[in-house]
Amino acid sequence: MFFSWFKEISPTERRTFWACFGGWALDALDVQIFSLVIPAIIAEWGIGKTQAGMVSGATLIASALGGWIAGALADRIGRVRTLQLTVAFFSVFTFACAFSHNFEQFIVLKTLQGFGFGGEWAAGAVLMAESIRSQHRGKAMGSVQSAWAVGWAGAVILYTVMFSLMPGALAWRAMFGIGLLPALLVLYLRRGVPEPTAPSGRGAAAAEPAKQAGSRSSAKGLPFLEIFSPSVLRMTLIGALLGVGAHGGYYALTTWLPTYLKTERHLSVLGTGGYLAVIIVAFFCGCVAASQLLDRIGRRATILLFSIACVATVLVYLFVPLTNGAMLVVGFPLGFFAAGIPASMGALFNELYPRGMRGTGVGFCYNFGRVVSAAFPVMVGHLAKTTTLGFAIGTDASIAYAIVVLAVLMLPETRGRALAESLPGTAEQRASANAEPAHR
């Protein structure tokens, strides 16, 4: 029932879905490696938790810049080409992290890795939104976000195997080295994914390629500032605020949760992997559930529901004195509700902008949140010096998800909205308001 819509879409839509699914899974694999190996890196270089948090913060800031630039680049050279470039970029620097000689080299390479994976999400989200018909856009965008759980699971499996077979000083390097391999498969798959086409206006003879539409908007250069024009400024600012809360909560939890389970709950490598497995499976289920709700009850209601539930679950998980068994049970709703917000943002952000600036707008809103959210892992590490790590994680994550609630209450509902081809109020926008994306 959940995936019956998949039978209704065209072969081109399916190829695009699986290509983006693979890309986001690779994103998660490479990104989550760091959160799992923090204790080993701290031990090898004798750094503190604040410095470890700074690595995550620097990576997130770089990913935000990369996402904004890649979004604008996708508006100029096309979605597919930008996607391929960003995957290759962050995969190479993930591999390079394995050969760091000291902490200073490591943080530089991790920052460059972040620049690439931020761009990959932005280009992939726009490609998906423009390739999938509007009645299934929420389901497709939510479902492809579940790939993050697949990549996260791959990272946990690698962590469990490597740290069981090797000493920590070698295991964390091996994990970063393996992070290069899946990129070869994803780049191969993406060779068969076409650039999405713009819908024909009423009476038009044929659809226009997206890259041509983007090039008109980009004649003056990359459209970095067009998303701050009066017609879309309010949506840009609120979308950025939503990104702050969504990323702040997610990274406060996922960056430090493995360390919390190991150092404060005193779980072994296998025990930590078991707890994370519950949360990861729940994250996958949460993405699938959100994908259905997006097209049933709308974008706003879905995000509001999941964000309120996130606050409540985080408070229980980290502030209530639970046994290890109870934590395992509560871990499922924690992962489930944390999934619904990122699973919803792709569809919502794409529906706020017209084609010529869509990549820039989506890249900015999603990744501005990453810039500001970079402070959350650092704040967790700093607060943990004077209190428990669990209290620090819970406080920061709860504040972040409360920001999501505030932002979503100020956004319009976009369910079923056709993707605009121009700014609101123009003749071109009115002519194509009811048009659907063209499918090959």
Side-chain angles (χ1 to χ4, degrees):
M1 180 183 70
F2 286 122
F3 300 104
S4 59
W5 61 271
F6 200 76
K7 300 177 182 178
E8 301 176 18
I9 61 177
S10 68
T12 295
E13 290 173 289
R14 291 193 195 104
R15 286 197 301 272
T16 302
F17 175 89
W18 287 119
C20 291
F21 189 98
W24 289 3
L26 174 61
D27 247 4
L29 175 71
D30 287 0
V31 172
Q32 292 300 139
I33 284 174
F34 174 67
S35 67
L36 293 165
V37 303
I38 287 176
I41 290 176
I42 288 176
E44 177 160 348
W45 287 322
I47 60 175
K49 291 179 180 178
T50 300
Q51 288 174 291
M54 287 175 59
V55 176
S56 181
T59 304
L60 293 177
I61 292 173
S63 74
L65 180 61
W68 192 9
I69 292 175
L73 192 63
D75 285 333
R76 183 169 186 175
I77 70 171
R79 304 356 181 169
V80 176
R81 189 183 303 175
T82 304
L83 205 56
Q84 293 170 334
L85 290 173
T86 54
V87 170
F89 191 93
F90 81 73
S91 297
V92 166
F93 284 104
T94 300
F95 179 75
C97 286
F99 302 96
S100 303
H101 290 101
N102 51 52
F103 177 73
E104 290 73 19
Q105 288 184 7
F106 181 75
I107 196 170
V108 169
L109 293 171
K110 274 288 290 160
T111 300
L112 291 170
Q113 179 215 37
F115 186 87
F117 83 70
E120 196 274 343
W121 189 94
V126 179
L127 173 63
M128 275 290 299
E130 292 181 346
S131 300
I132 302 293
R133 60 199 72 184
S134 62
Q135 65 265 37
H136 297 315
R137 189 179 302 129
K139 291 185 284 290
M141 297 296 291
S143 296
V144 82
Q145 186 71 37
S146 69
W148 189 268
V150 175
W152 192 359
V156 172
I157 292 171
L158 277 177
Y159 165 77
T160 303
V161 172
M162 294 300 178
F163 277 79
S164 297
L165 298 178
M166 305 177 184
L170 180 61
W172 75 262
R173 294 180 183 274
M175 288 182 67
F176 277 106
I178 292 173
L180 176 67
L181 297 179
L184 302 176
L185 175 61
V186 173
L187 291 173
Y188 171 77
L189 290 173
R190 282 181 174 151
R191 292 194 304 174
V193 176
E195 189 70 24
T197 55
S200 303
R202 291 190 181 98
E208 178 186 25
K211 62 182 179 181
Q212 295 178 7
S215 66
R216 289 200 307 271
S217 173
S218 305
K220 304 180 293 296
L222 294 179
F224 286 106
L225 302 180
E226 290 182 5
I227 59 173
F228 300 105
S229 63
S231 59
V232 294
L233 176 61
R234 182 175 180 274
M235 294 301 96
T236 297
L237 296 178
I238 298 173
L241 182 64
L242 175 60
V244 170
H247 287 299
Y250 177 81
Y251 285 109
L253 282 171
T254 59
T255 299
W256 287 106
L257 190 58
T259 303
Y260 167 74
L261 293 174
K262 184 173 182 179
T263 61
E264 293 196 2
R265 302 298 302 196
H266 307 294
L267 297 174
S268 65
V269 169
L270 291 175
T272 301
Y275 276 75
L276 291 177
V278 171
I279 294 176
I280 291 167
V281 170
F283 189 94
F284 180 89
C285 295
C287 287
V288 174
S291 72
Q292 296 294 315
L293 292 174
L294 285 169
D295 287 332
R296 290 177 180 268
I297 68 175
R299 284 43 165 157
R300 291 177 78 247
T302 301
I303 295 175
L304 189 62
L305 172 64
F306 278 88
S307 57
I308 292 174
C310 274
V311 173
T313 310
V314 166
L315 292 176
V316 172
Y317 192 80
L318 293 169
F319 291 151
V320 175
L322 301 175
T323 64
N324 285 348
M327 284 192 68
L328 191 64
V329 173
V330 178
F332 189 89
L334 179 69
F336 184 90
F337 292 122
I341 302 170
S344 304
M345 289 194 296
L348 175 63
F349 288 160
N350 273 283
E351 290 160 349
L352 296 177
Y353 294 96
R355 175 179 290 263
M357 65 174 70
R358 184 170 299 128
T360 311
V362 171
F364 177 81
C365 288
Y366 190 83
N367 288 290
F368 177 81
R370 276 179 166 162
V371 170
V372 180
S373 72
F376 283 80
V378 177
M379 288 191 298
V380 169
H382 181 72
L383 184 58
K385 293 191 298 185
T386 57
T387 184
T388 66
L389 183 58
F391 181 88
I393 296 172
T395 300
D396 279 19
S398 297
I399 292 172
Y401 288 126
I403 292 173
V404 174
V405 173
L406 174 66
V408 77
L409 290 174
M410 296 186 287
L411 285 172
E413 179 54 60
T414 61
R415 178 179 53 160
R417 177 183 293 185
L419 296 181
E421 294 305 305
S422 59
L423 287 172
T426 64
E428 182 183 354
Q429 193 273 341
R430 289 192 296 271
S432 61
N434 297 318
E436 283 293 324
H439 303 287
R440 299 180 185 179

